[in-house]
Amino acid sequence: MSNASKEPEIALVRAFARLKLEPRKLQAGHVWLVGAGPGDPGLLTIEALSALDQADALVHDALVSPEIVAVAEQAEKFYVGKRGGRLSIPQGEINALLVRLARENRKVVRLKGGHPYVFGRGGEETLALAQNGIPHRVLPGVTSAFGGLTSAGIPATMRGVNGAIILATGFAAVSDDRPDWTALARTGQPIVIYMGLTHMQATVAELLAGGLPETTPAALVENATLPQERTVVATLGTLVEAAQREAVVSPALIVVGGIVAMRDRLRGGA
Ligand code: SAH
């Protein structure tokens, strides 16, 4: 590598030194639940990077980029995501693994896509650790709604457009968690739907039934913040067809509401 291309790295090391941050120590027998952000390694927090560097056991799933997993070079890796279309490992087994690793006196990082406490089942894992008396910490990450929308050029809020933004799951396993889509539609506020592809048709039908016009701007943001990021813009009325035509795959966010229409204007278009 030439000296010129090394310069930003050296500048970064110097900037970091000026911050005078003393990263917290990950102790043996402790578990940290760490948010990795939506994919782009640049969106890791400094504390997440430090946690990966200290871990000697890393438990991760499919949403985390391989480059980020590779930072934990000293750690034994435990992959607990889906394999070749098979169902994921049951949550109870993941909880038990975290407890076991902590009891083996490992320095455990449980790495999750986005933010551990936003549709990440981080709460269940923290609860299991708390119930078993395992010392733990949760390190927030950039959730895909905020990282991903920004990357796609869509503002989360914009004066004159929206005074609230709704984050919802399109795939609630427990019926108590299932959003009341017609009620959400009636707020008129933009909705960002995580895990929305599988049940998109039903969700869209309920949003329309709740009174959102077919002309409501809508978008799908696939692989947000990653090199293969793709945004498909449609309307609520054409969203399902657009997703099929463009063969949109997971991970993707569905965004419904006027903020989507800001995309062209912020980019200097229409
Ligand atoms: N804890 C995560 C969400 C986990 S649920 C977070 O805070 O972001 C998994 C869902 O997140 C996916 O189905 C998808 O809707 C969304 N998601 C995660 N990463 C994404 C990405 N890079 N691009 C688009 N959507 C993403």
Side-chain angles (χ1 to χ4, degrees):
M1 207 183 270
S2 74
N3 276 345
S5 60
K6 276 256 177 205
E7 273 169 21
E9 290 171 34
I10 294 166
L12 181 61
V13 172
R14 289 190 183 134
F16 187 72
R18 288 197 293 277
L19 194 58
K20 297 188 176 65
L21 178 90
E22 280 187 37
R24 293 249 311 247
K25 197 166 173 224
L26 171 53
Q27 319 246 8
H30 290 215
V31 179
W32 286 3
L33 258 70
V34 177
D40 176 357
L43 295 176
L44 275 174
T45 65
I46 293 171
E47 277 240 84
L49 191 66
S50 165
L52 290 171
D53 187 54
Q54 296 182 70
D56 64 17
L58 180 77
V59 181
H60 69 99
D61 38 48
L63 269 182
V64 180
S65 308
E67 306 91 293
I68 294 177
V69 171
V71 173
E73 62 177 8
Q74 304 174 53
E76 184 179 352
K77 317 285 190 309
F78 298 85
Y79 176 74
V80 293
K82 289 178 189 162
R83 259 179 240 262
R86 274 169 43 202
L87 283 181
S88 337
I89 297 180
Q91 188 62 47
E93 280 182 37
I94 299 174
N95 298 350
L97 174 65
L98 296 175
V99 170
R100 174 171 71 76
L101 290 169
R103 292 203 169 132
E104 287 172 3
N105 236 14
R106 312 283 286 266
K107 297 175 189 171
V108 187
V109 164
R110 167 62 170 127
L111 190 64
K112 288 176 164 290
H115 190 308
Y117 276 0
V118 181
F119 302 127
R121 305 192 73 171
E124 286 155 88
E125 293 176 13
T126 307
L127 202 57
L129 296 170
Q131 284 167 348
N132 285 281
I134 308 287
H136 57 273
R137 250 185 107 199
V138 182
L139 280 61
V142 176
T143 192
S144 53
F146 297 129
L149 259 60
T150 306
S151 186
I154 301 168
T157 69
M158 184 135 174
R159 210 174 152 91
V161 178
N162 62 319
I165 181 159
I166 298 163
L167 307 186
T169 170
F171 199 94
V174 187
S175 57
D176 287 354
D177 296 346
R178 197 171 180 280
D180 179 345
W181 297 109
T182 52
L184 295 185
R186 279 197 294 275
T187 67
Q189 299 294 331
I191 308 170
V192 183
I193 305 169
Y194 291 64
M195 298 172 278
L197 291 182
T198 310
H199 301 308
M200 180 164 48
Q201 202 161 358
T203 305
V204 166
E206 286 184 57
L207 291 174
L208 291 168
L212 281 182
E214 292 206 353
T215 52
T216 307
L220 296 139
V221 187
E222 179 190 79
N223 282 310
T225 81
L226 293 165
Q228 65 273 33
E229 173 176 320
R230 187 165 67 127
T231 301
V232 175
V233 176
T235 63
L236 193 56
T238 62
L239 190 68
V240 173
E241 184 201 292
Q244 282 166 357
R245 187 183 61 237
E246 300 290 334
V248 174
V249 295
S250 186
L253 296 160
I254 301 173
V255 195
V256 178
I259 51 174
V260 174
M262 291 297 116
R263 183 168 184 260
D264 280 338
R265 294 178 58 189
L266 295 179
R267 290 196 309 185

